[in-house]
Amino acid sequence: MDTEKLQYIAKLLVAPGKGILAADESFSTIEKRFVLCDIENTEENRRAYREMLFTTPAIEEYISGVILFEETLYQTLRGAQGKQTEGVLFPEFLTGRRILPGIKVDQGLDGFGEKEKITKGIGTLQERLIDYAKAGAKFTKWRAVFTIENNVLPTDECILENAKLLAEYALFCQEAGLVPVVEPEILMEGSHTIDKCKEVSEKVFKIVFGELKVKEIYFPGMILKPSMVLAGKDCLNQPSSKEVAEKTLEVLKNCVPTEVAGIVFLSGGQSDEDATKNLNEIVKLAKENNEALWPITFSYGRDLQDSPMKIWAGKEENILSAKNEFYKKAKENSMASKGEYLGE
Ligand code: 13P
């Protein structure tokens, strides 16, 4: 295993003031997002949309890496940037801008028991990783999801099965020279309190790290992509950003070895203002308490993309304003990753 290379890539991904753009929506997820903006879900629209994001001037100041969906890994620019870039593959284009191309390598979710989910794709993973690395990917992502329901979910079986898969995934990636971004997401759906989310997050993250240790994952060459500790969307008692920060940091301190290269949060359906504000509070508090044990930043999908996608709406005449909005969102989250975000 090339530990030096893994550590080098992981460090670049969490470089100060930078974070990751998650643009790895599957066909069905991008459909859900496009429908809201009246955009038809065709291959060309997916390509044109992502070209709009990736060609935004100067985003390399704030974006260290982009997680791509498999389709995008093999798509090319169509020359909106001028003749020199026409036909250039996205990973090559991003690399040229000093943005690391990554790829989502799980294949979505299957049912687990009546109400839970297990992540698919481990059987073919090793073969696929060879192709992804050849196509220029430098890092990968695998997402497991956990639902909170009363005192019943998540079940111990679901936590353990998903944790084992996350660890197996991380090992295959490190063996293939790719940095794993290990993503255990506690879903926001439901009416649970923040304290319930804290209890579940702590249990899940501890079991995940237990399995990562069993597989002897090289932590300086691995990134954790967790959800924040939040109350369920339907909980009447919504916490302040300060409470989110305190509880999130406490869980991370209790579960995440300091050798882990970095922590990059997902936004997970929070409003974009909340996701940015909460990240800012977490970083600020970690710095104040001397508890910034790892670099902490963002790996956002919806937070970074919702407003630029709405502005773009599939129309060429909106490209410039959409890019300006994307740049603004990236900048705000970069500020938040330093604890310096002052609001819109
Ligand atoms: P969100 O920020 O929209 O949650 O997306 C991040 C991600 O990669 C989810 O898998």
Side-chain angles (χ1 to χ4, degrees), residues 148-159:
I148 300 183
E149 197 180 290
N150 302 323
N151 284 325
V152 185
L153 301 182
T155 60
D156 291 349
E157 295 76 21
C158 180
I159 300 174

Side-chain angles (χ1 to χ4, degrees), residues 20-25 29 33 67 104 106 141-145 181 183 185 225 265-270 275 298-306:
I20 298 172
L21 164 68
D24 58 333
E25 298 83 3
T29 303
R33 313 263 191 270
I67 313 174
K104 181 226 294 291
D106 66 68
K141 181 192 101 172
W142 179 282
R143 172 176 178 252
V145 300
V181 175
E183 181 179 5
E185 175 173 4
K225 176 165 175 167
F265 286 104
L266 58 95
S267 57
Q270 301 179 72
F298 59 91
S299 173
Y300 287 163
R302 281 162 284 185
D303 176 287
L304 288 167
Q305 293 188 57
D306 277 358

Side-chain angles (χ1 to χ4, degrees), residues 88-344:
V88 173
L89 287 152
F90 281 131
E92 194 185 324
F93 177 74
L94 290 167
T95 306
R97 295 193 64 182
R98 292 177 292 115
I99 297 174
L100 294 166
I103 174 150
K104 181 226 294 291
V105 300
D106 66 68
Q107 296 182 316
L109 306 168
D110 248 345
F112 185 86
E114 263 178 40
K115 291 184 174 171
E116 299 187 280
K117 303 279 185 211
I118 187 97
T119 310
K120 291 193 287 193
I122 204 79
T124 52
L125 182 58
Q126 280 176 294
E127 277 164 58
R128 289 186 290 122
L129 290 178
I130 297 170
D131 295 336
Y132 299 150
K134 262 193 216 147
K138 298 284 182 269
F139 71 105
T140 67
K141 181 192 101 172
W142 179 282
R143 172 176 178 252
V145 300
F146 304 93
T147 304
I148 300 183
E149 197 180 290
N150 302 323
N151 284 325
V152 185
L153 301 182
T155 60
D156 291 349
E157 295 76 21
C158 180
I159 300 174
L160 189 61
E161 282 308 305
N162 271 309
K164 281 183 188 293
L165 287 171
L166 280 167
E168 199 168 2
Y169 142 77
L171 180 63
F172 288 163
C173 289
Q174 290 197 331
E175 285 173 347
L178 296 163
V179 169
V181 175
V182 171
E183 181 179 5
E185 175 173 4
I186 318 294
L187 296 172
M188 275 183 83
E189 276 68 33
S191 55
H192 52 270
T193 61
I194 185 170
D195 286 322
K196 183 70 194 175
C197 178
K198 180 168 178 273
E199 176 197 319
V200 170
S201 303
E202 185 146 346
K203 180 169 178 181
V204 168
F205 299 165
K206 277 199 173 139
I207 294 175
V208 167
F209 275 97
E211 292 303 318
L212 292 167
K213 281 180 191 156
V214 169
K215 294 277 186 212
E216 297 181 13
I217 298 307
Y218 177 64
F219 288 145
M222 183 208 108
I223 287 176
L224 177 70
K225 176 165 175 167
S227 36
M228 294 175 188
V229 175
L230 303 165
K233 271 189 185 142
D234 303 326
C235 178
L236 295 176
N237 193 5
Q238 288 293 325
S240 64
S241 286
K242 187 151 190 298
E243 190 178 356
V244 169
E246 282 164 3
K247 294 188 169 160
T248 302
L249 270 180
E250 201 181 321
V251 169
L252 295 176
K253 256 188 326 184
N254 291 341
C255 305
V256 185
T258 50
E259 297 79 23
V260 168
I263 293 181
V264 298
F265 286 104
L266 58 95
S267 57
Q270 301 179 72
S271 74
D272 43 4
E273 180 62 11
D274 281 355
T276 306
K277 256 174 34 194
N278 289 340
L279 173 63
N280 189 63
E281 281 304 313
I282 292 170
V283 174
K284 226 168 66 181
L285 188 69
K287 282 186 175 171
E288 277 165 18
N289 296 352
N290 280 327
E291 286 172 357
L293 306 175
W294 334 255
I296 298 175
T297 185
F298 59 91
S299 173
Y300 287 163
R302 281 162 284 185
D303 176 287
L304 288 167
Q305 293 188 57
D306 277 358
S307 52
M309 188 189 286
K310 217 173 276 164
I311 292 172
W312 178 63
K315 299 196 175 81
E316 210 165 317
E317 63 267 31
N318 298 335
I319 287 182
L320 200 59
S321 336
K323 282 178 192 258
N324 287 341
E325 178 66 14
F326 176 49
Y327 179 83
K328 178 174 150 250
K329 300 299 305 179
K331 184 174 181 180
E332 285 172 358
N333 282 301
S334 160
M335 305 285 284
S337 75
K338 296 188 281 187
E340 295 170 6
Y341 174 65
L342 300 171
E344 281 191 281

